[in-house]
Amino acid sequence: PCRAQPKKKKKFDVKKEQAQKERMKKKLKKLEKAAPELIPIEDFITPLKYSESNRVRSLPTLSPEESERRVLLLKKWCLFKQKQDEAEKKAIKALVESQQEALKELRLESEELFQAAIRRDEGLFPFERDGPRYTPPLPGYDPPEGKCTDITKVYTQ
Amino acid sequence: DALLSCHRSYRSRPTHGIGKFKYLLPKEVPKKRKEKVQMKEINAGTEYQYGDVNIQMTSYDLCLVEHFAQYVHRLCNRLSIRVNESYAMPTKTSEVLFLEERGSKMQLDAVLTTHQRVVQICGLSSTFAPILLEIIQSNQPEGVHLLMKQHTEADFKSRLKSRPELEELLAEMS
């Protein structure tokens, strides 16, 4: 009686374990077959409340002088922006040209320094910069105490 | 009578294939199935060229960040820099609570959404990189946080949905 029972336990356990492992492997294969999905981006899904209502905004009619003034203003703005864009393109060209010239001169000076200058800068990335603010920070401002909680929806496959 | 008056054109007759027209139409591309989202190989880049670089723009303002991403994309097109991908990262929503002056209750102040757009470029030469950085910085709008870094697998994985069941099984197996 003492000898028979432990033997049965071992056989059962081994078989059960093997069956369990195979089941797990099959499950794993099935899950791995399914391709990973991208998280849907909420920006691109318009909420339903904006597409349901039928209210239409009616704009006031413009007088001919007003519309003429607006058209002329638009043209002036277009011209201004064009000049700005062209100045930018010119500046970029000038930068690149001066850089190429400087590299040419360096090459004539010494080949070693030229090779060292051409190499990529490892310290450039990662690069972080905050955008400029509309107003400078107020001196002596005491912000109220509070906290920020992240409530992003977690998607699981 | 019905057999004699049928209008079938026989294969030997010159009228064979008289009604056919499908060969004249342009070839239809077979409907492609849903492409599996696979990670593209990450280019490491040589000594004189940076590989895959991610330009990530984050802001609370959606329109601003979207327009800035479009501007960066067009700039790269204009400067003939290859743009691999231009995608959006999932939005993060956060609740801002502040403590009332009299009282210990937290009051809801606002719900802020953080949007992020990524433009992935490839083949940036080492001499041109600082110039590009300078241009992007000078045109950076207010409130938009710029981040430029090399593309890694972790960046790609952060776009995918989490699979807790798979992870559990993997943990159990090992």
Side-chain angles (χ1 to χ4, degrees):
Chain A
C2 271
R3 275 175 73 193
Q5 273 184 334
K7 270 191 186 170
K8 269 193 194 169
K9 265 196 191 168
K10 270 191 195 172
K11 271 191 189 171
F12 257 115
D13 275 352
V14 161
K15 273 193 179 173
K16 265 193 181 176
E17 266 186 50
Q18 272 181 346
Q20 233 191 357
K21 269 194 179 175
E22 273 188 29
R23 260 182 280 153
M24 268 170 55
K25 275 187 189 170
K26 276 191 179 173
K27 252 193 183 178
L28 203 81
K29 264 191 181 177
K30 242 194 172 179
L31 282 173
E32 276 189 342
K33 255 192 179 179
E37 287 169 31
L38 290 173
I39 302 176
I41 294 157
E42 290 153 15
D43 296 344
F44 302 149
I45 311 165
T46 42
L48 286 167
K49 67 174 187 177
Y50 295 127
S51 50
E52 270 176 6
S53 58
N54 294 322
R55 18 176 252 174
V56 178
R57 194 202 289 188
S58 57
L59 296 164
T61 47
L62 298 165
S63 63
E65 292 95 13
E66 181 64 32
S67 57
E68 177 114 9
R69 188 187 80 97
R70 284 193 190 185
V71 164
L72 284 168
L73 192 68
L74 198 74
K75 282 184 178 274
K76 276 191 214 169
W77 177 249
C78 280
L79 194 70
F80 169 75
K81 271 292 182 183
Q82 191 193 38
K83 292 261 161 68
Q84 208 183 49
D85 194 38
E86 265 174 36
E88 215 180 86
K89 285 188 190 166
K90 226 171 126 178
I92 298 170
K93 261 191 182 173
L95 263 174
V96 168
E97 267 176 29
S98 56
Q99 202 185 45
Q100 292 298 317
E101 253 201 63
L103 281 170
K104 248 198 258 177
E105 292 291 317
L106 186 65
R107 191 158 210 183
L108 291 170
E109 278 288 323
S110 83
E111 190 69 32
E112 256 187 48
L113 285 174
F114 173 76
Q115 290 297 326
I118 287 273
R119 267 167 206 281
R120 70 188 223 185
D121 187 9
E122 300 299 335
L124 193 60
F125 302 119
F127 174 80
E128 243 188 285
R129 188 190 179 236
D130 254 339
R133 308 284 172 182
Y134 281 106
T135 49
L138 289 169
Y141 172 66
D142 186 26
E145 282 195 27
K147 65 174 180 188
C148 246
T149 43
D150 197 10
I151 48 167
T152 341
K153 190 173 163 187
V154 174
Y155 291 91
T156 49
Q157 192 171 3
Chain B
D1 209 333
L3 286 166
L4 289 168
S5 60
C6 72
H7 301 284
R8 272 179 54 211
S9 33
Y10 288 77
R11 272 178 258 179
S12 52
R13 294 288 171 88
T15 50
H16 175 66
I18 192 162
K20 280 191 191 172
F21 65 92
K22 208 163 180 188
Y23 68 94
L24 294 169
L25 294 171
K27 285 249 159 115
E28 257 183 43
V29 176
K31 199 174 167 185
K32 56 175 186 182
R33 291 178 196 167
K34 207 171 171 183
E35 275 173 20
K36 284 195 175 178
V37 173
Q38 258 178 3
M39 197 183 75
K40 292 184 197 162
E41 281 179 32
I42 301 174
N43 187 4
T46 62
E47 285 195 353
Y48 308 107
Q49 264 193 2
Y50 295 95
D52 285 338
V53 172
N54 273 4
I55 307 175
Q56 294 175 346
M57 293 149 275
T58 334
S59 174
Y60 293 121
D61 188 359
L62 175 66
C63 301
L64 206 57
V65 78
E66 185 88 37
H67 287 168
F68 188 49
Q70 280 179 16
Y71 168 75
V72 165
H73 199 306
R74 286 194 186 166
L75 187 78
C76 293
N77 282 354
R78 194 164 22 115
L79 301 168
S80 46
I81 300 171
R82 207 190 109 171
V83 174
N84 280 352
E85 280 185 291
S86 170
Y87 54 85
M89 295 289 273
T91 29
K92 296 187 190 151
T93 341
S94 57
E95 243 178 18
V96 179
L97 307 145
F98 73 91
L99 197 65
E100 278 186 66
E101 281 174 35
R102 279 116 196 239
S104 55
K105 207 170 112 174
M106 289 282 206
Q107 207 200 30
L108 182 69
D109 194 23
V111 176
L112 294 171
T113 47
T114 312
H115 308 269
Q116 193 177 50
R117 298 280 181 273
V118 179
V119 176
Q120 203 183 90
I121 51 178
C122 175
L124 190 66
S125 69
S126 53
T127 48
F128 195 69
I131 297 177
L132 182 73
L133 214 66
E134 192 70 41
I135 301 166
I136 296 179
Q137 267 185 75
S138 62
N139 285 306
Q140 203 177 348
E142 292 91 357
V144 171
H145 180 84
L146 179 74
L147 168 66
M148 268 176 96
K149 60 194 269 282
Q150 308 265 31
H151 184 59
T152 53
E153 208 178 306
D155 287 327
F156 179 78
K157 291 255 159 88
S158 64
R159 281 174 82 189
L160 303 170
K161 285 190 193 167
S162 67
R163 298 160 119 183
E165 302 137 347
L166 193 71
E167 280 166 33
E168 264 179 36
L169 273 175
L170 279 168
E172 270 185 47
M173 290 282 277
S174 60

